[in-house]
Amino acid sequence: WYQRRVRGEDKHDTVISIPLTSSTEFKNTVKKCAISAGFNVLDLIPEPISALLSVDSAVSPSDGHTAVVRVGGSSMAVTVVKVVAGMYSIVDHAEEKIGGNLFDRSVGKFLCDDFNRKNRCKVEENPRSYSKVLKASKTAKHNLSTLKHGRV
C-alpha cells in the first residue's frame, strides 16, 4: 500500500475550500499539506463559491447576483457572487468584526419586540426568559448555517 501511495497510484482527487481573503502563502501551505497527506489537489476555491456549490441543485442560484453570508463567533462576512451560465465570480466582499454574539442579540431583540407587541409584556425584564430567547437566537443561527432554514 505504501509503495503504491508513494508512486501516486492511491491518491484521491480533491477540491479544497479556503477563506476568501487567504494569502498566497496560506494557499500554498494548504495545498502542500494536502499533497503530503496523499491527496491530488485539483483546485482551491473560495468558501463563498463552495457554499453556493453545496446548495441543492433544485435551489441553486440562477443567473444573477447572490449574497453569501457567514456569521462567525467574532466576525460576519457578506460576499456578493455573480452567476452566469453556471460560472461563479466574486463581485464584492465585506467582513466586519461584529461577531456572532451581536447577531444573536439583534435577533433576540427582534424576537422580544415581536413577543412584547403580541402579548403586551416585556420578556427582557425577566432574566430567565431573556436568556431563553438568546439561546433560541443562537440555536437558529447554528441551524441556518447547516440547514436551509431555522426555526425559533
Side-chain angles (χ1 to χ4, degrees):
W1 179 81
Y2 180 74
Q3 288 178 341
R4 277 191 356 201
R5 185 173 173 203
V6 170
R7 291 192 310 246
E9 296 172 15
D10 199 29
K11 292 191 177 193
H12 299 283
D13 291 344
T14 189
V15 175
I16 301 173
S17 174
I18 57 169
L20 180 63
T21 57
S22 298
S23 67
T24 302
E25 181 182 359
F26 177 80
K27 292 174 188 177
N28 291 337
T29 301
V30 168
K31 188 171 184 176
K32 190 185 214 181
C33 288
I35 290 169
S36 69
F39 292 96
N40 179 32
V41 179
L42 299 175
D43 202 0
L44 301 174
I45 63 172
E47 288 174 344
I49 302 295
S50 173
L52 287 176
L53 291 171
S54 72
V55 174
D56 183 10
S57 62
V59 294
S60 63
S62 57
D63 287 0
H65 291 83
T66 302
V68 178
V69 179
R70 181 193 54 76
V71 180
S74 63
S75 66
M76 179 182 226
V78 178
T79 305
V80 177
V81 179
K82 184 176 183 181
V83 182
V84 177
M87 297 298 294
Y88 298 84
S89 59
I90 294 174
V91 176
D92 200 4
H93 174 79
E95 187 165 344
E96 293 293 328
K97 298 290 182 192
I98 60 172
N101 292 336
L102 292 174
F103 183 81
D104 297 343
R105 282 183 281 206
S106 180
V107 171
K109 182 180 179 331
F110 170 79
L111 294 172
C112 285
D113 290 347
D114 187 53
F115 183 86
N116 295 345
R117 186 175 36 80
K118 290 177 181 176
N119 299 289
R120 296 189 177 131
C121 66
K122 296 199 177 221
V123 175
E124 58 274 15
E125 288 179 355
N126 182 324
R128 186 171 181 209
S129 296
Y130 186 62
S131 175
K132 287 181 178 183
V133 169
L134 289 179
K135 185 176 180 184
S137 300
K138 188 172 188 172
T139 300
K141 176 182 70 178
H142 287 286
N143 287 345
L144 284 168
S145 68
T146 58
L147 303 173
K148 294 176 188 169
H149 63 277
R151 186 175 203 162
V152 180

